[in-house]
Amino acid sequence: MSNVSVSTGGQSTTKEASPGGGLTSTLVLALGTFAVGTDAFVVAGFLPDMADSLNVSSAAAGQSITVFAAAYAVLSPVLATLTARLPRRALLVGALIVLGLANLGSALAPNFPILIITRILAAAGAAAYTPNAGAVSAALVRPELRARSLAVVVGGLTIATALGVPLGNVTSEVLGWRTALGLVAALCLVIAIGVAWIMPHLPGNPRVPLKTRLGVLRHPAVLTVLPLTVLGMGASYTVYAYSVEALDAVGIPDSRHVWMLFLYGIGAVLGNFLAGFGTDRWGSTRALTIGYITMVVSLGVLGWLAAADASLPVVVGLMMIGWGASSWCQTPPQQHRLIAVAPQEAPLVVSLNSSGIYLGIGLGTLLGGATLHAGVGTMYALGTGIAVIALVFLLVTSRTVDKQDDASEEATA
């Protein structure tokens, strides 16, 4: 048996847990984030079909992703405050049930306004689940394994991009996009049962007022780290929501879209887990630097192929892997940086980082939709430019954050 320190909103309690307990719980939490990720990203696989069915343009339909992401970003700290005292298992299961019912509503939506309402409800379920899953997983393992544990939980999201999005694309082609969303609803409800069965009981946290939660943003190091999350995810998702059009522009026929989306997902899984390992071994700054350079190269090459009207499927496949890896290598080191500079507010900063992820997704999707009329090459160029800004921001601010990280580690030791 080993002692595990569990942070509960700024206070710490020590629990005795079996050596494998943290790993088992982390894997179960990752199943939940897989359901959340499938819901959040599956729309990109059938966006044009959904737009045609609801009589809106692809750019307008893409804003359903923006609305989901914006609602998530706003609701995450609010729901964290309102649900603070709930036992963690009850909260996680309830969030997955809300997510499942909201997806069922999306599948049955008769028009675009109703779809938007159900996407907001789905965002509420996702916002209640993901940050709590990350905070619980970080608390249940030893500090030196924290980044890898976070990578496993985030891995549920990345595996969803590897499997959920391509499967959603195939399902929508065979059975229609409504059936695809109905299957996502069923997935959420099944995993909710699994979480209820396996997840250990954990008490709720002391209630922290919303003002206090947002007050963490006054912490200089936190305020330095969070914008990078928004920039990095914004760069990646400028194009991703419109991946069908983006793949058409680089000479990939419709029959091969699912394989390219699968390669993106494989890259996302690899990038996430390698980033967790790399952060523990070499530090978050180096992991992020490699990630942003990879993103710049991947989006830049895809943009060049679109502008040149070239058809090089093998090159596109390699760039899709790099794009996926660079998109999802960001979260473990970013969460690790935030927890390191504000260890007493770990649940709060993880929640805010989740808001930053979805704020970046929402802004990127919004920018992509606004430039879609100018051509896919313009979208790729915009994503590449934002990735360059993210890399520069990281290099400029890393010294300050690394000093805070070292100070935190010395204090913990």
Side-chain angles (χ1 to χ4, degrees):
M1 305 288 284
S2 61
N3 290 329
V4 179
S5 179
V6 180
S7 177
T8 55
Q11 298 179 359
S12 295
T13 59
T14 301
K15 296 188 175 215
E16 196 174 65
S18 62
L23 175 60
T24 301
S25 297
T26 295
L27 292 174
V28 172
L29 292 169
L31 288 175
T33 53
F34 173 80
V36 171
T38 302
D39 169 61
F41 308 126
V42 72
V43 174
F46 52 71
L47 191 65
D49 291 339
M50 187 175 75
D52 290 341
S53 176
L54 297 175
N55 297 315
V56 296
S57 67
S58 289
Q63 300 317 306
S64 65
I65 300 175
T66 300
V67 168
F68 179 98
Y72 184 109
V74 172
L75 290 173
S76 186
V78 174
L79 290 174
T81 300
L82 296 177
T83 63
R85 294 181 180 177
L86 289 177
R88 299 297 91 180
R89 182 171 58 194
L91 173 59
L92 295 172
V93 171
L96 288 171
I97 291 173
V98 170
L99 189 64
L101 294 177
N103 272 278
L104 183 60
S106 295
L108 299 174
N111 52 50
F112 191 62
I114 297 298
L115 178 76
I116 291 296
I117 292 172
T118 60
R119 299 313 293 159
I120 293 172
L121 293 175
Y129 182 86
T130 307
N132 283 291
V136 168
S137 72
L140 290 177
V141 298
R142 299 189 304 273
E144 64 269 22
L145 299 177
R146 184 184 294 154
R148 271 169 275 190
S149 177
L150 290 168
V152 171
V153 174
V154 177
L157 295 175
T158 57
I159 291 172
T161 66
L163 299 178
V165 175
L167 288 176
N169 180 272
V170 171
T171 303
S172 68
E173 289 182 359
V174 177
L175 301 174
W177 67 272
R178 294 183 186 276
T179 301
L181 284 176
L183 291 175
V184 172
L187 174 67
C188 293
L189 296 176
V190 168
I191 295 178
I193 295 172
V195 172
W197 180 39
I198 298 176
M199 186 70 189
H201 173 77
L202 289 173
N205 298 327
R207 186 168 183 176
V208 180
L210 182 60
K211 182 178 180 180
T212 302
R213 290 180 181 274
L214 298 180
V216 175
L217 293 173
R218 291 194 294 268
H219 193 304
V222 171
L223 196 57
T224 300
V225 173
L226 275 176
L228 185 61
T229 297
V230 178
L231 286 170
M233 297 307 293
S236 177
Y237 277 81
T238 299
V239 182
Y240 185 78
Y242 308 96
S243 55
V244 173
E245 292 89 345
L247 289 171
D248 286 340
V250 291
I252 304 300
D254 291 349
S255 60
R256 294 185 181 179
H257 284 184
V258 64
W259 298 110
M260 290 299 171
L261 291 172
F262 183 71
L263 289 175
Y264 174 96
I266 290 296
V269 173
L270 291 174
N272 175 66
F273 284 105
L274 289 175
F277 176 81
T279 297
D280 284 333
R281 188 172 181 84
W282 298 297
S284 56
T285 299
R286 186 174 297 179
L288 287 167
T289 299
I290 294 171
Y292 290 130
I293 291 173
T294 302
M295 186 182 295
V296 169
V297 172
S298 300
L299 291 177
V301 170
L302 288 170
W304 175 79
L305 290 173
D309 198 23
S311 180
L312 299 172
V314 174
V315 175
V316 172
L318 291 174
M319 294 304 102
M320 291 297 288
I321 293 172
W323 181 12
S326 60
S327 299
W328 288 99
C329 77
Q330 303 176 72
T331 306
Q334 277 291 90
Q335 288 184 335
H336 190 269
R337 294 171 92 206
L338 285 165
I339 292 173
V341 299
Q344 298 305 313
E345 294 88 15
L348 306 186
V349 294
V350 168
S351 174
L352 289 173
N353 191 62
S354 292
S355 292
I357 289 172
Y358 282 90
L359 181 59
I361 291 173
L363 290 174
T365 304
L366 184 65
L367 289 171
T371 56
L372 183 59
H373 70 280
V376 172
T378 301
M379 284 200 303
Y380 277 124
L382 182 60
T384 303
I386 298 174
V388 171
I389 293 172
L391 176 61
V392 172
F393 184 90
L394 169 68
L395 297 177
V396 169
T397 60
S398 60
R399 183 171 298 181
T400 299
V401 175
D402 288 345
K403 286 181 180 179
Q404 291 281 341
D405 193 343
D406 292 342
S408 176
E409 289 182 357
E410 290 176 2
T412 302

